[in-house]
Amino acid sequence: MISLEGVSSIRKTHDMLPIHSKPKPWNPSNAPNPPTFKKILPLKISNTWNENKEANESKAGRIKRLVLTNEGRTKLNTFPDREFYAYPRFVTHVDDEFIATLTDLYRERLKPGSEILDLMSSWISHLPNEVVYKRVVGHGLNAQELARNSRMDYFFVKDLNQDQKLEIEDSSFDAVLCTVSVQYLQQPEKAFAEVFRVLRPGGVFIVSFSNRLFYEKAINAWRDGTAYSRVQLVLQYFQCIEGFTQPEVIRKLPSAGNSQDDKSPFSWFMKWLGLFSGSDPFYAVIAYKNFKPVYD
């Protein structure tokens, strides 16, 4: 259970963030202490235990099955996503209560000193202000937004619907985050497999979302779904990749009386604009690579 006690409103989140030097565009060669690799010849030992271990390791990260149909991957707006996100949007896409819940979740699940990849990000990462991380690398579709994010040490721009391959070494990060953006992935199976690859063993992938969306850019399987079906969809994204732990779901729903399922034309239009009004429900689906670590 996430406690919201003591969490202040962060409507002015950007003003509250600590001031850092401007983040640098991400380049693996810029990363501190880049790993070096030596070629090691395999031992010529025939051993059933070793063979089974190697077979299991070779399966880790593979896509076991496809979750979406071709129709489920389609969008109303078929123009490239880079065009849609060409102009920066310095706004928060969810309300203060959602953000506070998410920041508390990060405070609970992300260890100080971790190396973090913030996928499909923007000008705010919603990480707790008081926690120091070793490195935060951001990804998104608008360089101006990413350059404004003071929590990022590096960033890179890439359209994951065109190319899911991340130019990042295996096992580079302790955590990967994806905030209110999973609904736009047209190849989620490949994207989740890449996340698995770049996570270290025991690393966590946190996918959070609400009911807000840019209606014409969300995939059909998400756009026409319900809150329940959307949670199930993200669960299946994790489950289709060999090696992720059983996903955990965290929900925090608004109090009764909020019109989250309003089907009026105005509500539909606001969804289409990505500006749905009212209190935002909170959903997060979390899984770990290979195992969930236990800390003292």
Side-chain angles (χ1 to χ4, degrees), residues 127-147:
L127 294 165
N129 296 323
E130 76 281 3
V131 181
V132 178
Y133 302 103
K134 182 177 179 180
R135 178 174 53 137
V136 178
V137 176
H139 155 264
L141 280 173
N142 188 282
Q144 289 175 269
E145 292 179 3
L146 296 169

Side-chain angles (χ1 to χ4, degrees), residues 43-51:
L43 294 174
K44 300 295 184 181
I45 299 176
S46 178
N47 181 288
T48 302
W49 186 86
N50 283 337
E51 289 173 355

Side-chain angles (χ1 to χ4, degrees), residues 144-162:
Q144 289 175 269
E145 292 179 3
L146 296 169
R148 186 93 163 258
N149 191 321
S150 60
R151 293 308 300 266
M152 291 179 182
D153 300 295
Y154 306 91
F155 70 85
F156 64 100
V157 174
K158 186 182 184 71
D159 185 350
L160 291 180
N161 286 329
Q162 294 294 323

Side-chain angles (χ1 to χ4, degrees), residues 9-36:
S9 169
I10 54 175
R11 189 177 301 276
K12 297 182 180 178
T13 305
H14 181 61
D15 294 335
M16 297 174 62
L17 292 173
I19 298 175
H20 295 273
S21 59
K22 199 170 185 179
K24 306 171 187 176
W26 165 250
N27 186 323
S29 63
N30 292 338
N33 302 319
T36 57

Side-chain angles (χ1 to χ4, degrees), residues 257-275:
N258 287 320
S259 56
Q260 298 302 324
D261 295 318
D262 184 3
K263 302 296 184 182
S264 68
F266 177 75
S267 172
W268 183 92
F269 182 67
M270 293 298 281
K271 287 181 185 177
W272 189 80
L273 292 176
L275 298 171

Side-chain angles (χ1 to χ4, degrees), residues 60-61 109-110 114-119 135 166 168-178 191-207 238 241-245 285-293 295:
R109 300 297 180 105
L110 305 179
S114 296
E115 294 185 271
I116 298 170
L117 174 62
D118 191 1
L119 276 184
R135 178 174 53 137
L166 298 173
I168 298 172
E169 296 287 343
D170 296 357
S171 304
S172 293
F173 292 97
D174 303 298
V176 178
L177 315 176
C178 182
F192 274 57
E194 274 295 278
V195 168
F196 184 93
R197 182 183 66 79
V198 303
L199 275 174
R200 295 184 176 116
V204 64
F205 186 18
I206 301 176
V207 180
F238 277 109
I241 305 302
E242 185 80 49
F244 272 123
T245 61
V285 185
I286 305 168
Y288 296 80
K289 178 176 179 175
N290 302 137
F291 62 91
K292 181 178 180 178
Y295 302 112

